[in-house]
Amino acid sequence: MQITHLGHSCVLIEAGGARLLLDPGGFTPGWETTQGLDAVLVTHEHADHLDRDRLPALLAGNPGARLVTEPGLAGQLAGSVDRDPEPLAAGSSTTIGKLRVTATGGRHAVIHADIPRIGNVGYLIAETSGDGRTLYHPGDMLEAVPDGVDLLAVPISAPWEAIKETVDFVRAVGAPVAFPIHDAVLSPTGRGLYQNVLRGLTTGTELRDLLGAGAVSL
């Protein structure tokens, strides 16, 4: 499984004969030029996970790519893009190439009691052949803790998250390898601090920093 962390929560997955782009948001530059995609997956509607102004350019460069999103977002996008968004509700699955994509969760994490919660699905992406590895990208949610995760994309800093919750989430998932995402709000110094805390408190999981590393096989 080849993984490229393009920035913040935007991740390119190449596995099972398919190329998937997850959460192409406004905090990440350059993803709209990505080509050869089989699908674009979006966990929820927030602008740091989907830049609607740049999405049409991405879709135009990938005419055969499916657009798979959280159900509420699919309804919002219907008629505004050049293909039908495919809603994937929590508990539902779809097949892309030799990958099985299963949605988890259903609700965004609590930011504040005064802010209504929106839909959010995490994506379990499992190879159905080859090494049979499974990657989990939770979007903005730590509630769902799926079994059998080999590679965890772990959000490390957000208005809805404290580091103590991140540590408990990584421990609960128990993936052998994790890599940080949702990190654009941190300075380089702060980003390193958060990673050091995670490394010190989640010794059963190897934390790999993929930002700027290019495609990495995991």
Side-chain angles (χ1 to χ4, degrees), residues 67-161:
L67 178 59
V68 179
T69 78
E70 182 274 327
L73 177 58
Q76 294 176 27
L77 292 175
S80 66
V81 291
D82 66 358
R83 66 208 64 183
D84 292 333
E86 302 178 33
L88 194 67
S92 300
S93 299
T94 189
T95 300
I96 304 170
K98 294 181 180 179
L99 299 175
R100 188 71 170 166
V101 179
T102 302
T104 70
R107 295 194 303 169
H108 192 285
V110 175
I111 302 172
H112 188 275
D114 292 345
I115 299 177
R117 296 178 73 176
I118 61 171
N120 178 102
V121 292
Y123 292 117
L124 272 171
I125 301 170
E127 294 177 302
T128 57
S129 63
D131 292 337
R133 292 197 162 192
T134 297
L135 179 144
Y136 183 45
H137 187 305
D140 284 5
M141 168 195 63
L142 304 180
E143 291 180 358
V145 181
D147 295 325
V149 176
D150 301 295
L151 310 169
L152 174 63
V154 55
I156 61 171
S157 180
W160 47 267
E161 178 184 23

Side-chain angles (χ1 to χ4, degrees), residues 31-53:
W31 50 256
E32 63 271 24
T33 63
T34 306
Q35 296 185 337
L37 296 175
D38 295 283
V40 178
L41 278 61
V42 187
T43 61
H44 66 287
E45 67 187 65
H46 284 161
D48 58 324
H49 294 258
L50 178 64
D51 186 331
R52 302 190 193 200
D53 291 336

Side-chain angles (χ1 to χ4, degrees), residues 186-210:
L186 294 171
S187 69
T189 301
R191 194 171 182 277
L193 173 62
Y194 273 65
Q195 290 187 74
N196 287 338
V197 171
L198 281 175
R199 287 192 177 102
L201 294 175
T202 58
T203 53
T205 297
E206 177 191 359
L207 189 69
R208 298 274 301 274
D209 189 351
L210 304 188

